[in-house]
Amino acid sequence: MKNQFTTKNQSVDKVFTIIEYMSDMRTPLKLLELSKGIGFPSSTTLRLLTSLMDRGYVYQDQETLKYSLTLKFCRIGDSVKSSLNITEIVHSYLLDISNKTGQTAYFAIEQDMMLVYLDTIKGNGFQTITTKRIGHVAPLHAAGIGKLLLLNYSESQLMKLIHSKGLPRFTDNTLCTYESLKMELEKISKQGYAMDDQECEEGIRCIAVPIKDYSGSIIGGISISGSTDQILPEKYEAFLDILISASEAISEKLGYKI
């Protein structure tokens, strides 16, 4: 017998089904369109819509009779966003990643067209990696997480980055031309992860995966870094499984639909 306190409330579940469907459709909907789309009877849909209208979350245009979500959701979203400390959410996952892989784990975001490291957990075989300490910055084009963040860039933004920051060389492996960087980004977009194979520092290899928010935008990334004799090609798949599992869990907490 189910505990009365843990049984799912079907009315609440249906309300959120309506909200999420209206949000996904991105256009005002008539009652029949909405009820058909979510598979609820019109009477049930109308009852729930009326409750949402009474609370100011849904608006009905009196001329078209179509329903829309209101900007009240923006106020709630802004409130949640302002109180959300992403670094705190990520930290426990970095600990788990470092423990499972034995490598140093990182969390970084973009700021002023540079990569900024916000958290790091030292691995068993930790080495001093000069560009990857908390608060330090690294170039987007030469770092695993940085290249993931470049997937957000349009052609004009990418050209602006090159004009403003350049594509400086750090090792023989650094991508220093627009053509090579563009090819790398296309590859990353298809495979869903990025590598820094001795592009920032000789002898250091990195595997990075993205963190996405509710809009699907890449807002940062997590990665592991270690020496080339620690992060070997035959270990990539196992490391990626751990990283992707963590990134999906973090992204889901930020509202991203997997």
Side-chain angles (χ1 to χ4, degrees), residues 12 14-24 34 48-60 67-82 214:
V12 172
K14 288 177 179 177
V15 166
F16 280 104
T17 297
I18 288 175
I19 292 170
E20 291 178 355
Y21 183 79
M22 293 178 73
S23 175
D24 290 341
L34 181 55
L48 297 173
L49 282 171
T50 300
S51 295
L52 286 166
M53 289 174 64
D54 289 343
R55 299 299 296 266
Y57 290 102
V58 167
Y59 165 79
Q60 184 184 32
Y67 295 89
S68 305
L69 299 178
T70 72
L71 293 177
K72 191 170 184 179
F73 285 101
C74 294
R75 187 181 73 184
I76 294 174
D78 286 341
S79 176
V80 172
K81 188 175 180 180
S82 65
Y214 61 92

Side-chain angles (χ1 to χ4, degrees), residues 26-252:
R26 298 177 178 270
T27 185
L29 298 167
K30 287 188 175 181
L31 177 60
L32 290 178
E33 292 175 324
L34 181 55
S35 62
K36 182 179 179 181
I38 59 179
F40 297 165
S42 296
S43 58
T44 301
T45 305
L46 180 59
R47 175 173 56 83
L48 297 173
L49 282 171
T50 300
S51 295
L52 286 166
M53 289 174 64
D54 289 343
R55 299 299 296 266
Y57 290 102
V58 167
Y59 165 79
Q60 184 184 32
D61 187 295
Q62 295 305 306
E63 293 185 5
T64 65
L65 300 182
K66 292 184 176 182
Y67 295 89
S68 305
L69 299 178
T70 72
L71 293 177
K72 191 170 184 179
F73 285 101
C74 294
R75 187 181 73 184
I76 294 174
D78 286 341
S79 176
V80 172
K81 188 175 180 180
S82 65
S83 63
L84 190 63
N85 189 324
I86 299 176
T87 304
E88 289 183 4
I89 293 175
V90 173
H91 186 74
S92 62
Y93 290 97
L94 290 188
L95 283 169
D96 187 57
I97 289 167
S98 184
N99 287 334
K100 288 179 177 177
T101 65
Q103 307 304 317
T104 300
Y106 298 93
F107 168 52
I109 62 170
E110 179 189 0
Q111 189 173 65
D112 190 28
M113 292 192 289
M114 293 291 288
L115 192 64
V116 181
Y117 291 89
L118 298 185
D119 198 5
T120 178
I121 303 295
K122 297 179 182 179
N124 297 332
F126 176 76
Q127 301 182 38
T128 299
I129 303 176
T130 58
T131 60
K132 296 181 180 178
R133 294 174 297 197
I134 294 176
H136 280 226
V137 298
L140 294 174
H141 74 288
I145 298 175
K147 287 186 281 188
L148 289 169
L149 287 162
L150 286 179
L151 296 179
N152 291 330
Y153 277 43
S154 64
E155 288 290 333
S156 60
Q157 289 173 316
L158 192 57
M159 294 306 296
K160 182 179 179 182
L161 168 75
I162 295 172
H163 178 74
S164 175
K165 304 291 185 180
L167 298 175
R169 180 177 295 281
F170 301 97
T171 72
D172 290 342
N173 289 354
T174 307
L175 304 174
C176 296
T177 66
Y178 169 82
E179 291 77 15
S180 62
L181 179 58
K182 187 66 177 174
M183 286 180 61
E184 178 74 358
L185 294 180
E186 290 173 357
K187 175 184 174 183
I188 292 168
S189 180
K190 292 178 181 178
Q191 65 188 18
Y193 67 91
M195 298 280 299
D196 160 10
D197 193 359
Q198 304 184 77
E199 295 165 50
C200 266
E201 297 186 49
E202 293 285 354
I204 299 298
R205 187 173 283 149
C206 161
I207 305 175
V209 294
I211 292 174
K212 299 179 180 180
D213 68 4
Y214 61 92
S215 69
S217 297
I218 298 173
I219 61 167
I222 52 177
S223 66
I224 56 169
S225 286
S227 64
T228 51
D229 59 358
Q230 292 173 322
I231 300 184
L232 298 166
E234 56 265 32
K235 295 182 179 181
Y236 288 174
E237 185 175 352
F239 287 156
L240 276 169
D241 285 344
I242 294 168
L243 284 165
I244 291 171
S245 177
S247 70
E248 288 181 346
I250 296 167
S251 297
E252 190 171 8

